[in-house]
């Protein structure tokens, strides 16, 4: 099957997704940051809507060339916590295993945008993968291995099966989690062969599905997710709170309810990271906290994700949601209820 992925500014112009008058400005963006839109994504975009939430995630804009002083190429500190190529070991009981740095699509807000793409950090060689697996095998604290990158699900079923089988031999690893856009942006790739490859470890497997707007969760995406879940693979969600895309409680409520209806448990809602050229996507933490507070008034607890801030320099994830509780003296508290009213509580 021919590759119909749009990978360049001329491709986007030919598809009617950007105007020819934008070519010069956008070429400067494309020279620095990778571009890729699958046909699934391109077909969701309304080219007549200048504020289309799907286009905003994938179509480059000149705003990406505007950088702010606090932005950095490795915004969450992967590299300082990488003891061997392909491994990030930030928390004692889990590691990232970055098999590749290529994706089926390139998000304009990506926190690893300086690492991914054809000119990014590349794909692990066989020797590098062996060294990474040896590292995991040598540290018995490691309970969970998180496959990321790049997007692991663009690997062939054969390659995925090999990696999962290698992990199956490490007894202290009990959980394998895979972070992916593939079910949402290329659902046809979720074939029976790929599903079987993912199950080859015999471990408990989770897939974290990245989607940011309910329009992304088409019938085809829901079917692809069902193929994974029906096979015994659990799924959770990962989203980013993005200005102009999903920064209101109504959109988030629809997105989170859709996840739950798909049997995908809402897990992470990330505050945008300090990646270069992504300032136009960021809102303040106070704005994010207000949105989460309102979301709680809209939906069941099943639909509430963790609102997460990934601290710079590798200091890890923290809950960014505002606390509803403050202690005024020992065993006496003021608690904000779901309507924003303060209530006294003792005990």
């Amino acid at each position: 099957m021919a590759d119909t992925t749009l990978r360049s500014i001329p491709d986007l112009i030919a598809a009617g997704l950007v105007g020819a008058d934008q070519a010069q400005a956008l070429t400067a963006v494309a020279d620095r940051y990778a571009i890729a839109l699958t046909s699934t994504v391109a077909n969701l975009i309304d080219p007549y809507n200048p504020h289309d939430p799907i286009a905003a995630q994938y179509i480059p804009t000149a705003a990406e060339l505007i950088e702010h002083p606090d932005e950095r190429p490795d915004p969450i500190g992967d590299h300082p916590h990488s003891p061997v190529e392909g491994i990030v070991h930030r928390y004692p009981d889990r590691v990232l295993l970055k098999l590749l740095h290529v994706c089926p699509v390139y998000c304009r807000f990506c926190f690893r945008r300086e690492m991914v793409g054809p000119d990014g950090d590349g794909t692990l060689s066989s020797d590098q993968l062996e060294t990474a697996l040896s590292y995991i095998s040598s540290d018995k604290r490691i309970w969970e291995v998180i496959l990321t990158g790049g997007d692991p699900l663009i690997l062939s079923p054969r390659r995925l099966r090999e990696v999962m089988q290698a992990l199956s031999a490490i007894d202290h690893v009990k959980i394998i989690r895979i972070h992916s856009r593939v079910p949402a942006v290329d659902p046809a790739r979720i074939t029976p062969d790929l599903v079987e490859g993912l199950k080859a470890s015999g471990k408990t497997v989770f897939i974290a599905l990245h989607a940011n707007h309910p329009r992304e969760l088409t019938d085809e995406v829901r079917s692809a997710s069902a193929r994974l879940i029906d096979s015994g693979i659990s799924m959770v969600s990962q989203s980013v709170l993005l200005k102009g895309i999903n920064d209101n409680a109504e959109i988030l409520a629809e997105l989170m309810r859709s996840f739950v209806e798909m049997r995908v448990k809402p897990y992470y809602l990330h505050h945008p990271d300090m990646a270069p050229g992504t300032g136009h996507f960021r809102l303040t933490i106070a704005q994010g906290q207000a949105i989460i507070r309102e979301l709680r008034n809209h939906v069941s607890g099943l639909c509430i994700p963790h609102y997460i801030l990934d601290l710079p320099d590798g200091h890890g994830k923290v809950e960014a949601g505002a606390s509803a509780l403050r202690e005024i003296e020992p065993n006496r508290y003021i608690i904000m209820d779901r309507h924003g009213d303060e209530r006294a509580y003792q005990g």
Side-chain angles (χ1 to χ4, degrees):
M1 181 182 297
D3 181 7
T4 56
T5 298
L6 307 177
R7 301 185 183 276
S8 67
I9 300 305
D11 285 350
L12 296 177
I13 293 172
L17 296 178
V18 300
D21 58 330
Q22 298 176 271
Q24 184 173 353
L26 295 185
T27 296
V29 179
D31 286 344
R32 179 163 181 185
Y33 301 119
I35 296 171
L37 290 77
T38 59
S39 58
T40 295
V41 168
N43 290 337
L44 285 176
I45 293 173
D46 178 359
Y48 302 105
N49 178 3
H51 306 294
D52 183 79
I54 311 301
Q57 294 183 60
Y58 300 105
I59 302 292
T61 67
E64 294 176 53
L65 298 177
I66 302 171
E67 294 192 23
H68 299 272
D70 291 330
E71 294 176 344
R72 56 196 75 193
D74 183 12
I76 67 169
D78 277 358
H79 287 152
H81 293 272
S82 183
V84 301
E85 193 71 32
I87 293 287
V88 178
H89 197 174
R90 190 177 287 112
Y91 308 99
D93 71 337
R94 55 204 183 273
V95 297
L96 304 184
L97 175 54
K98 299 199 287 185
L99 297 169
L100 74 172
H101 287 85
V102 181
C103 301
V105 294
Y106 292 105
C107 306
R108 309 322 303 169
F109 50 86
C110 178
F111 70 98
R112 291 196 179 111
R113 62 196 329 228
E114 299 276 10
M115 307 176 196
V116 298
D119 300 319
D121 286 356
T123 298
L124 288 189
S125 68
S126 296
D127 287 345
Q128 288 170 330
L129 177 58
E130 188 61 37
T131 300
L133 292 169
S134 295
Y135 178 87
I136 295 168
S137 182
S138 70
D139 190 338
K140 290 185 166 37
R141 299 176 303 166
I142 298 172
W143 173 80
E144 180 182 23
V145 174
I146 302 164
L147 304 185
T148 181
D151 196 317
L153 294 192
I154 69 169
L155 293 171
S156 69
R158 177 191 59 79
R159 185 66 169 148
L160 283 169
R161 185 179 296 106
E162 289 172 353
V163 172
M164 300 299 270
Q165 287 173 338
L167 291 170
S168 74
I170 305 175
D171 186 62
H172 55 266
V173 171
K174 305 299 183 184
I175 306 295
I176 300 173
R177 188 187 344 154
I178 302 164
H179 283 243
S180 181
R181 272 279 209 181
V182 164
V185 302
D186 194 6
R189 187 177 282 273
I190 307 301
T191 62
D193 280 351
L194 184 139
V195 172
E196 286 306 309
L198 294 175
K199 295 176 63 182
S201 71
K203 310 284 187 181
T204 299
V205 178
F206 284 81
I207 289 180
L209 170 64
H210 184 172
N212 298 309
H213 194 278
R215 270 179 47 205
E216 296 178 79
L217 303 178
T218 63
D219 289 344
E220 291 77 15
V221 173
R222 291 168 187 256
S223 294
S225 298
R227 290 195 290 276
L228 292 162
I229 295 166
D230 289 345
S231 78
I233 294 171
S234 298
M235 293 188 70
V236 296
S237 76
Q238 172 172 293
S239 305
V240 183
L241 185 59
L242 298 164
K243 184 188 291 186
I245 293 173
N246 59 14
D247 58 336
N248 66 74
E250 290 78 14
I251 292 295
L252 285 179
E254 185 179 352
L255 176 64
M256 298 304 158
R257 283 181 177 140
S258 295
F259 281 138
V260 172
E261 291 164 10
M262 294 166 57
R263 297 175 286 167
V264 175
K265 175 68 181 79
Y267 182 40
Y268 277 158
L269 177 65
H270 287 272
H271 192 80
D273 295 309
M274 290 290 184
T278 63
H280 53 296
F281 289 111
R282 288 196 295 271
L283 60 168
T284 68
I285 290 176
Q287 289 170 323
Q289 290 173 334
I291 291 167
I292 293 299
R293 208 159 37 237
E294 187 178 354
L295 178 65
R296 288 184 179 278
N297 293 336
H298 280 69
V299 298
S300 158
L302 286 172
C303 302
I304 301 295
H306 297 282
Y307 179 37
I308 291 294
L309 177 65
D310 224 326
L311 296 176
D313 301 320
H315 295 297
K317 294 179 174 65
V318 295
E319 291 271 4
S323 174
L325 181 151
R326 58 187 171 89
E327 188 173 30
I328 54 175
E329 59 184 63
N331 293 323
R332 291 190 63 205
Y333 302 87
I334 296 295
I335 300 175
M336 185 182 296
D337 70 16
R338 66 189 185 89
H339 300 295
D341 297 322
E342 291 190 336
R343 309 291 180 184
Y345 181 88
Q346 183 167 327

